[in-house]
Amino acid sequence: MTNVITVPPSLDDHSFEQVLEQVAPLPDDAKLVVDARHVRWASPYGLTALLTFAQTRKVMPTLAVPELDDTASYWARAAFFQHAEELYELRGTYPKRRDAGESSVLLEITPIARSDDVHDVVGRVQERAQRIIKSELKLESKAIIGFAMTLSEVCQNIIEHAGQGGWVAVQSYNWARRLGRRVVVIAVCDAGLGFRKSLESTPGHVPTDRWDDAAALEAAVIRGVSRFRDRGRGQGLAGTRSYVGRWKGKLSVRSGTARISIVPSWDDDVPLAEGLAAFPGAQVQVIIPEAVSETEGR
Amino acid sequence: MMQQHIDISSVLRQTLACDLYSNLVTRKTGAAVRGQIERLLDVGPTTGHALTVIDFSQVSMIDFSCADEVVAKLLLRYADEEANEVYFLFRGVTDDHWDAIEAVLDRHGLALALESGDDVRVVGALTDGERSAWDVTYRLGDVGADDVAAETGTDRANALDALEALWRRRLVMRVNGRYVAVGGMRHHG
């Protein structure tokens, strides 16, 4: 029997939960048709999570591609179909990949499996990030290096901890909900070990009474705990939090059945969501918003 | 005293066997670059003092993981090592490098000597006593504990403790019973 999973018309980190909730009651070898025909928009998180989702299935799922030309065209520019062809049976017509050019795509969906991939990604993003961060987000120059550092560190976590490859994408767009400003978003997704299992692999790890995905995320994201004993470990996420805080951004990390967020004043998300539908690995999103002048809003 | 200059971007390109990358990113790269630096230091003199200038001028950026490997672990490796006194002076460190370097110095409680224009200053985790002692040592060029005590208004024992701590951290050199700040010999000609 084939199960149809409906993808919401606007696919982001929150609405992707609807995909997982539909899948949750099904066995992991269930035959799925992921129906994205009516999707109008997808964030970098939505696109990378869709690829990651396919990697979690024992039977290759089918993906019914978006029917709207603009949507399909954007997904092609983001290199989604190029990678989806390996993970899904694609149903429907879709354009061939075109160069992102002068688009909101700072970094097309890129696989991260080795250290060289991180070098490549950082190198490719730097020039485009400079343009976006200065002219569109109107942030100071020092935000550019921090952005590249953040990108490097969140990608490295795949290599250091996931146990398998993952995906990264970077995009700028208007964040309409509450903020009404331009943002640049980094999404890094993998279907690997996840935070809980990673920390459980620490020699001598003794789980507390309340040891679960949420506790693991708190340990790693808030307290900087790493599975490595080396004192220098855990600085990547700590540095990312610092960068996000300085530029009034948002950091979300989802792993297993929980999601932890550093929530800025312009967002109404919850700091910790538990009891989510299970999803292996780790999915990280960093959002950096446009600067607001002090006179704005008077 | 043996002096050596290490251009980090050259080491990076040799390590990666690639001319395209000028970014110090990833822990693996940092470990490889540090390994190469250590090999370069190992072929130097095995006794006495060696001043190594670590030059970041051609490095575009450094992330936290790389800074931990290239800066922190390098300093930790040579601190307190009696057989081979290696001192580091960091050059070409800009704002683009500083966030990552500052974070790892803070994490490990480390400090380093940083070339700043024509001067040298010491940055990172130091006690007030250590910082004052270093400043005096740099300013005067060649000091004993009595000199530092007189300049900082502390007693000789505290001044000596501070100088010895700075020496163990390889921020001052101990020469014939006196102390010279890293980068200080150049400053005083």
Side-chain angles (χ1 to χ4, degrees), chain A residues 275-291:
Chain A
L276 302 175
F279 191 37
Q283 298 81 43
V284 179
Q285 179 173 252
V286 174
I287 303 172
I288 301 298
E290 178 184 351

Side-chain angles (χ1 to χ4, degrees), chain B residues 1 12 40 45-46 112 119 151 187:
Chain B
M1 183 182 64
L12 173 64
L40 289 170
T46 54
L112 55 85
D119 284 321
E151 291 289 324
H187 178 70

Side-chain angles (χ1 to χ4, degrees), chain B residues 17-107:
Chain B
C18 175
D19 282 339
L20 295 177
Y21 300 140
S22 61
N23 297 317
L24 268 178
V25 294
T26 80
R27 187 168 289 278
K28 182 182 171 189
T29 297
V33 167
R34 177 171 52 78
Q36 185 60 15
I37 294 171
E38 289 171 353
R39 278 188 286 279
L40 289 170
L41 292 173
D42 284 346
V43 300
T46 54
T47 58
H49 306 113
L51 175 65
T52 300
V53 175
I54 302 290
D55 194 340
F56 277 81
S57 304
Q58 303 304 314
V59 174
S60 299
M61 65 162 279
I62 182 169
D63 69 11
F64 297 101
S65 301
C66 236
D68 193 66
E69 291 289 335
V70 175
V71 177
K73 287 187 175 176
L74 191 68
L75 294 174
L76 287 167
R77 160 87 166 77
Y78 290 98
D80 266 335
E81 191 176 284
E82 302 245 351
N84 188 11
E85 289 185 31
V86 176
Y87 297 85
F88 295 107
L89 177 62
F90 287 77
R91 174 180 292 168
V93 173
T94 67
D95 287 348
D96 289 348
H97 311 125
W98 181 239
D99 280 351
I101 292 177
E102 182 182 29
V104 304
L105 293 180
D106 188 55
R107 173 67 72 106

Side-chain angles (χ1 to χ4, degrees), chain A residues 144-166:
Chain A
I144 298 164
I145 286 294
F147 185 84
M149 286 166 65
T150 294
L151 177 64
S152 173
E153 294 291 349
V154 294
C155 286
Q156 275 185 78
N157 278 341
I158 294 177
I159 297 160
E160 298 275 331
H161 303 289
Q164 64 182 69

